[in-house]
Amino acid sequence: MNKGLMPSYLLGADGLRALACLAVIFHHLTQRLAMHNQTTVVQETQAFFLLGNAGVSVFFVLSGFLLALPFWKSYLVGGKFLDMKHYVFRRAVRIVPGFYAAFFVSVLLAYIWQVETEFSIARLITGLTFTSGFHYTTFFPSELNGPLWSISFEVFSYLLMPIFMLGLFYLGKKRSFTKAISYWLGVMVLILILNQGVHFLFTPDEVQRGWEYGLIGGAKFWIPNYNPIGFFGQFAIGVIASLVTVHLFRRTDLIQRFKQKGGFDIVSGLSLALVFFFIFLVRHSGEFSLSIQNQPYYFPIFPTLIAITLCTAPLSRLFGKILDNFLFRYTAKVSFGLYIWHFLVITMVERYWQPTYVHMGMSDFNTWLVVSIVVLFISYIIATLSYYLIENPVLIWAHKRQRRTTQKEQTVRKEAM
């Protein structure tokens, strides 16, 4: 292991992305099973999988972790701040094509099926501009595709992270791991203060606040516990985990000895096991319990356990490889498509095949299981088509474009010398 050198592929990231994606899908599938008609064993299992929505938190931690890596690699060796033009371009080509496709199909189906959609113009505009999460009336940009709500929060985090990084890069000439982690812990404190301000200033009134009033009522119930500032705290945990990982790779001799003894396998395996054990323990708790400032997904306990797995799996000898098995790596590849399309599949199954496949609506377990397997299978097919026909062609085009741009810049610099 060369000092300061990290592999381009980090073990464990794909496995965690796949687990997060499947957890969210299983959350929505198990919502369709009428819990009160099931055996005790099924009820307890269902309660566990209903907390699969915490997979959204994993996505935020993962994004913070992976997007911060190039910043930390440059920062710790005294390098320059990243080119923001390239950063924004890469984020746009990764998110926009797939999201726009799913969003337009969702809007079109709502029009064809004549689904009543309040604030339709505002939701359309904010959906297209990734600003829907700033108000409860637009929080869910699509009436038919609820999971799209989180995308605006992700985009907000994408933009906010470099702003904080910029402050660190220009905060004195001396750079160190200690300085960087102290700075980002300070960012975490600032985020908590700002989030408290959001709670104080933007808590909605109680008029038609609740899921019984539809998606807008549900969004009104979620806000302000769900807000872009608060979710950036989960993203920031990933940023800090990324810094720790880069630092660990630079501590060559010490880390190599710990790795050879299987230390990282133990830590990463144990932390992920604790994730599942923690979710099992809190399966009957309230939606905003056991977390700071009533944030969702048990902040900061749950995202911190995920971050520990992310930090240590890349240095493990065996655990990271097990986590990144073939199925999980493929699931990770098409995970964005799975996330943005699976709920539309559920909706179409309800409309054209199983009308009882609604929230807590299906009593027979065997029927529910068959339908859910079909939904999962179709979702994989659509996600695969989305990746190979929409997402990947744009990524390939963007990679070629960026390579040509880099070559031109290098040519200009040589000619100027």
Side-chain angles (χ1 to χ4, degrees):
M1 186 187 297
N2 297 323
K3 187 173 182 179
L5 190 64
M6 292 181 65
S8 57
Y9 174 78
L10 293 181
L11 289 173
D14 277 350
L16 285 176
R17 187 182 302 279
L19 284 173
C21 183
L22 291 174
V24 172
I25 294 175
F26 289 164
H27 162 74
H28 290 131
L29 296 181
T30 50
Q31 278 184 329
R32 270 71 197 157
L33 182 62
M35 180 179 281
H36 61 278
N37 290 332
Q38 309 308 315
T39 64
T40 301
V41 173
V42 172
Q43 286 181 354
E44 294 299 321
T45 305
Q46 184 179 3
F48 173 81
F49 281 109
L50 282 172
L51 293 187
N53 56 346
V56 174
S57 175
V58 181
F59 285 136
F60 276 81
V61 176
L62 260 172
S63 293
F65 180 88
L66 296 173
L67 294 183
L69 277 174
F71 287 93
W72 293 131
K73 289 178 182 179
S74 180
Y75 174 84
L76 291 175
V77 298
K80 295 181 179 180
F81 191 71
L82 269 62
D83 187 334
M84 283 297 94
K85 181 174 65 175
H86 290 167
Y87 172 85
V88 172
F89 178 72
R90 287 194 299 268
R91 286 296 84 210
V93 297
R94 183 66 192 94
I95 294 294
V96 171
F99 174 81
Y100 272 16
F103 184 47
F104 279 127
V105 170
S106 301
V107 172
L108 180 61
L109 287 176
Y111 175 77
I112 293 173
W113 292 338
Q114 297 183 336
V115 177
E116 183 179 351
T117 304
E118 297 181 89
F119 305 99
S120 58
I121 300 300
R123 290 163 80 175
L124 177 63
I125 294 172
T126 56
L128 292 173
T129 56
F130 301 99
T131 55
S132 59
F134 290 91
H135 197 270
Y136 67 85
T137 57
T138 59
F139 188 94
F140 291 101
S142 167
E143 193 71 27
L144 295 179
N145 201 344
L148 297 185
W149 70 265
S150 69
I151 306 301
S152 70
F153 283 21
E154 282 254 11
V155 171
F156 178 79
S157 295
Y158 296 162
L159 298 177
L160 192 58
M161 185 266 287
I163 294 174
F164 282 115
M165 280 293 190
L166 186 65
L168 176 63
F169 267 73
Y170 293 99
L171 187 64
K173 294 183 179 180
K174 185 178 179 181
R175 296 181 180 182
S176 68
F177 169 78
T178 303
K179 181 179 180 180
I181 202 165
S182 299
Y183 176 89
W184 270 92
L185 288 175
V187 170
M188 287 292 296
V189 173
L190 175 62
I191 290 300
L192 291 176
I193 293 172
L194 293 175
N195 191 46
Q196 196 61 43
V198 171
H199 279 253
F200 180 74
L201 296 172
F202 299 108
T203 299
D205 57 48
E206 296 300 321
V207 178
Q208 293 189 331
R209 189 183 187 192
W211 289 105
E212 63 271 24
Y213 300 107
L215 285 184
I216 292 179
K220 198 174 184 181
F221 170 74
W222 271 4
I223 290 176
N225 299 332
Y226 284 65
N227 74 76
I229 295 292
F231 266 78
F232 184 73
Q234 310 205 30
F235 191 93
I237 288 177
V239 173
I240 295 171
S242 181
L243 169 62
V244 172
T245 301
V246 175
H247 182 66
L248 288 175
F249 271 96
R250 290 167 59 83
R251 301 292 298 273
T252 311
D253 298 332
L254 176 64
I255 296 307
Q256 188 68 12
R257 288 196 298 269
F258 193 66
K259 177 179 180 179
Q260 291 302 321
K261 293 179 180 179
F264 289 107
D265 289 85
I266 295 173
V267 175
S268 55
L270 182 60
S271 59
L272 187 58
L274 286 174
V275 167
F276 288 101
F277 182 64
F278 176 76
I279 292 297
F280 180 77
L281 287 179
V282 301
R283 65 193 184 280
H284 295 302
S285 64
E287 185 173 5
F288 304 117
S289 62
L290 299 174
S291 64
I292 296 176
Q293 297 176 325
N294 289 332
Q295 288 201 42
Y297 315 134
Y298 312 103
F299 175 86
I301 300 172
F302 179 80
T304 299
L305 288 173
I306 294 295
I308 293 172
T309 305
L310 267 176
C311 283
T312 53
L315 288 153
S316 64
R317 298 179 64 186
L318 184 60
F319 181 76
K321 295 178 181 178
I322 295 174
L323 193 57
D324 287 352
N325 58 74
F326 173 78
L327 176 61
F328 279 9
R329 288 194 68 174
Y330 184 78
T331 300
K333 177 188 289 188
V334 300
S335 61
F336 188 59
L338 281 170
Y339 184 80
I340 61 178
W341 290 105
H342 78 274
F343 205 82
L344 278 182
V345 176
I346 291 174
T347 303
M348 296 192 78
V349 165
E350 172 203 335
R351 280 182 168 265
Y352 295 114
W353 181 25
Q354 293 288 341
T356 60
Y357 201 65
V358 294
H359 189 271
M360 297 294 166
M362 188 164 279
S363 298
D364 184 72
F365 176 81
N366 291 329
T367 303
W368 168 85
L369 183 61
V370 170
V371 174
S372 297
I373 291 174
V374 171
V375 167
L376 187 60
F377 180 72
I378 295 174
S379 297
Y380 264 95
I381 293 175
I382 295 178
T384 299
L385 293 173
S386 176
Y387 179 78
Y388 284 105
L389 299 181
I390 301 174
E391 301 165 51
N392 198 45
V394 177
L395 292 174
I396 293 173
W397 166 81
H399 178 72
K400 291 179 179 178
R401 180 181 183 276
Q402 194 165 359
R403 187 170 57 187
R404 288 195 300 268
T405 302
T406 302
Q407 290 173 345
K408 288 181 181 179
E409 291 173 350
Q410 290 174 346
T411 302
V412 170
R413 282 196 295 267
K414 288 180 180 180
E415 293 176 347
M417 292 177 64

